[in-house]
Amino acid sequence: MAEVKLLAAWPSPFYYRVVWALKLKGIAYEFIEEDLANKSPLLLQYNPVHKKIPVLLHRGKPICESMIILEYIEEIWPQNSLLPSYPYDKAIARFWIKFADEKSPAIWMVFRTNGEEHEKAVKDSLEMLKTIEEHALGEKKFFGGDKINMVDIAFGQLAYWLPVIEDVTGVKLLEAGNFPRLQTWIKNFKQVPIIKENLPDRDEMFAFFKRRREMTLASK
Amino acid sequence: MADELVLLDFWPSPFGMRVRIALAEKGIKHEYREEDLRNKSALLLQMNPVHKKIPVLIHNGKPVCESLIQVQYIDEVWHDQAPLLPSDPYQRAIARFWADFVDKKIYELGRKIWTTKGEEQETGKKEFIECLKLLEGELGDKPYFGGENLGYVDVVLVPFYSWFLAYEKCGNFSIEAECPKLIAWAQRCLQKESVSKSLPDQEKVYGFVLQLKKIFGIE
């Protein structure tokens, strides 16, 4: 029986955060696919509060919320560290992880809406990207320095899911704002071997999200 | 060299209260500076340029922002006194989960209760009580969320108790009637000096909320 199981659903960016962390540390796991339109009793049992994926099961015990899962993975399997060890640097890393979690939903609002709501979401997304460009990256290759760390993983949505949202909606956020540091980071992040080998198929994602956007807007 | 700690704060902020409690639990000397949020100091804007919010903890000139991050930072740096997070990684993940739950739900739902009326307010009240009941479930028979001693989740949640009277008056309901265990827990926390000295009086917070309602034209 696998010691580590991951309840998740393609192509959730939160699922991929956990995959990247596990792979970077060389941890084997069993993937249990959830149908979010028909949630399994297992998911409802292991995440009764939010009923969401991903859920990590370690020796049968559930951990929920992707960034909490990542902190847990970091503590149980410290090899190839994903967080700085010095408390102040750790606090700065956690600040940007929280920022990523708090602000990234704006890009999904761009995806899910039209009209006035959509305009506001575009504005919020550009503001977020501007803040990352001006305050978060500095001159480093990655948020983690020479190697990626938990902060890069937290921002992973921007490297791969945002471009798909841009293609589906026709809103070119990254170009519009001209974010050179961020654009370079995106290029470098996607070249990291573990990331490159563990990304959803771009064409399949495009088709999936195109259908979803059509359905979402039709139901409004 | 002695540690220099400055806390930029605002007296009714439950987020600021979390940091006050953590510092008091560990007996850490610090300077408390009250911010006027309608006239933010140059120091605040310099130390938290991204969010421009309090609380900001400045340790030897270097800022740490966001209350949950500040409490974890304090716990890590001053790890010998009164530990707040459990030492077991799985228990830590559980504590972080509930702190995250409090952050996602309690502030926004509480805000809904004192800023809205009618159906919106009723929905807010219902969801607020549901969340408190979930927290009661997590507390179980333990004296504190941290077990025998005050822990991370206690520090994260108890500040909202100072806002309960304001929620009750604005929402015209009794939290104690619905969640007596949680009220008993809050009062147990208040027996501790670190908590009682960090939380303002409920009447004072209610007065502040009434003032805000006037300023923002909320009935």
Side-chain angles (χ1 to χ4, degrees):
Chain A
M1 188 181 82
E3 193 180 78
V4 180
K5 299 187 195 199
L6 179 58
L7 267 77
W10 183 94
S12 159
F14 306 102
Y15 155 47
Y16 278 87
R17 284 175 167 179
V18 183
V19 169
W20 295 332
L22 290 169
K23 297 253 180 194
L24 282 163
K25 289 172 181 283
I27 310 301
Y29 65 96
E30 180 191 333
F31 170 51
I32 300 175
E33 180 127 34
E34 276 291 325
D35 173 4
L36 296 182
N38 189 17
K39 292 176 179 178
S40 73
L42 204 68
L43 174 59
L44 301 177
Q45 178 198 340
Y46 285 128
N47 192 355
V49 173
H50 299 302
K51 305 173 175 58
K52 287 180 168 179
I53 57 93
V55 177
L56 188 79
L57 286 170
H58 184 213
R59 295 179 186 142
K61 298 201 287 193
I63 302 112
C64 307
E65 297 300 303
S66 59
M67 294 322 295
I68 294 174
I69 294 172
L70 260 60
E71 292 247 17
Y72 177 78
I73 289 171
E74 176 70 6
E75 287 174 15
I76 297 285
W77 297 285
Q79 67 270 27
N80 195 13
S81 181
L82 295 175
L83 268 182
S85 46
Y86 186 58
Y88 187 76
D89 298 332
K90 207 185 275 198
I92 299 297
R94 285 180 174 145
F95 176 88
W96 289 110
I97 290 167
K98 181 160 204 263
F99 181 88
D101 266 359
E102 232 169 71
K103 305 291 183 181
S104 297
I107 67 175
W108 295 101
M109 285 303 279
V110 170
F111 167 73
R112 275 203 292 273
T113 60
N114 50 14
E116 224 178 272
E117 264 186 306
H118 177 86
E119 293 311 312
K120 179 172 188 299
V122 169
K123 186 169 165 281
D124 290 342
S125 300
L126 285 171
E127 237 174 75
M128 167 190 63
L129 296 172
K130 185 166 177 277
T131 302
I132 299 167
E133 177 79 17
E134 286 176 12
H135 293 275
L137 262 167
E139 300 307 318
K140 301 184 302 224
K141 184 177 187 194
F142 297 114
F143 295 97
D146 292 325
K147 288 192 325 174
I148 62 169
N149 76 357
M150 221 181 270
V151 184
D152 298 271
I153 293 176
F155 280 120
Q157 289 184 59
L158 303 181
Y160 200 71
W161 280 256
L162 175 57
V164 175
I165 290 172
E166 287 183 322
D167 284 347
V168 166
T169 60
V171 179
K172 300 288 181 191
L173 290 166
L174 289 165
E175 263 175 47
N178 181 36
F179 304 111
R181 282 196 186 126
L182 198 48
Q183 304 238 40
T184 307
W185 172 80
I186 288 173
K187 231 175 52 218
N188 289 328
F189 181 75
K190 290 196 289 196
Q191 286 306 308
V192 172
I194 294 280
I195 305 297
K196 196 171 178 186
E197 291 156 20
N198 292 284
L199 284 171
D201 179 84
R202 179 72 184 251
D203 292 332
E204 278 177 41
M205 273 240 288
F206 177 79
F208 176 84
F209 284 117
K210 184 158 185 288
R211 243 183 356 256
R212 281 290 281 271
R213 178 162 163 85
E214 283 160 9
M215 275 165 51
T216 307
L217 293 183
S219 70
K220 276 182 183 282
Chain B
M1 191 183 84
D3 273 318
E4 228 186 64
L5 263 164
V6 177
L7 175 62
L8 304 181
D9 199 349
F10 179 52
W11 70 267
S13 163
F15 307 103
M17 289 174 218
R18 291 167 172 176
V19 187
R20 290 174 225 163
I21 298 170
L23 292 169
E25 270 294 292
K26 291 172 184 274
I28 301 166
K29 272 196 151 115
H30 62 281
E31 181 195 337
Y32 179 93
R33 276 196 219 171
E34 187 77 23
E35 281 283 332
D36 175 2
L37 297 185
R38 288 162 302 175
N39 187 17
K40 292 175 180 177
S41 72
L43 184 65
L44 172 56
L45 300 177
Q46 180 201 343
M47 291 286 154
N48 191 355
V50 171
H51 300 301
K52 305 174 176 58
K53 284 179 172 178
I54 56 91
V56 179
L57 185 71
I58 310 171
H59 187 199
N60 296 330
K62 299 202 292 188
V64 180
C65 304
E66 298 297 310
S67 61
L68 293 190
I69 296 173
Q70 289 155 344
V71 174
Q72 288 183 82
Y73 175 77
I74 289 166
D75 206 38
E76 284 162 20
V77 175
W78 289 274
H79 49 83
D80 288 336
Q81 304 108 279
L84 294 170
L85 273 154
S87 48
D88 171 67
Y90 187 72
Q91 294 305 319
R92 288 157 80 87
I94 300 297
R96 286 184 173 129
F97 175 86
W98 288 105
D100 176 68
F101 176 80
V102 172
D103 252 16
K104 280 184 161 94
K105 304 282 189 182
I106 303 299
Y107 180 74
E108 284 309 321
L109 289 171
R111 193 161 194 283
K112 215 180 189 184
I113 294 172
W114 72 263
T115 57
T116 67
K117 277 239 151 349
E119 220 183 288
E120 215 186 328
Q121 191 189 50
E122 285 310 306
T123 311
K125 279 158 65 179
K126 184 169 165 283
E127 283 179 31
F128 182 76
I129 292 296
E130 269 167 25
C131 289
L132 292 188
K133 288 198 161 142
L134 276 171
L135 287 161
E136 275 187 329
E138 173 57 21
L139 178 65
D141 293 320
K142 306 192 297 282
Y144 305 102
F145 287 91
E148 293 305 310
N149 291 305
L150 211 68
Y152 185 57
V153 180
D154 302 277
V155 172
V156 166
L157 179 61
V158 81
F160 290 100
Y161 179 73
S162 66
W163 281 67
F164 277 11
L165 182 70
Y167 298 152
E168 286 175 323
K169 293 260 171 132
C170 295
N172 192 29
F173 71 127
S174 161
I175 298 174
E176 182 158 17
E178 304 273 2
C179 305
K181 261 178 83 175
L182 203 70
I183 300 299
W185 159 81
Q187 286 168 349
R188 193 177 302 129
C189 291
L190 275 163
Q191 298 296 313
K192 295 189 155 271
E193 209 180 331
S194 61
V195 179
S196 63
K197 289 234 155 102
S198 303
L199 264 55
D201 188 62
Q202 284 188 332
E203 287 286 354
K204 198 176 174 202
V205 173
Y206 179 45
F208 170 72
V209 168
L210 288 177
Q211 253 187 342
L212 280 181
K213 282 167 81 103
K214 232 192 209 156
I215 295 172
F216 291 115
I218 306 165
E219 269 174 44

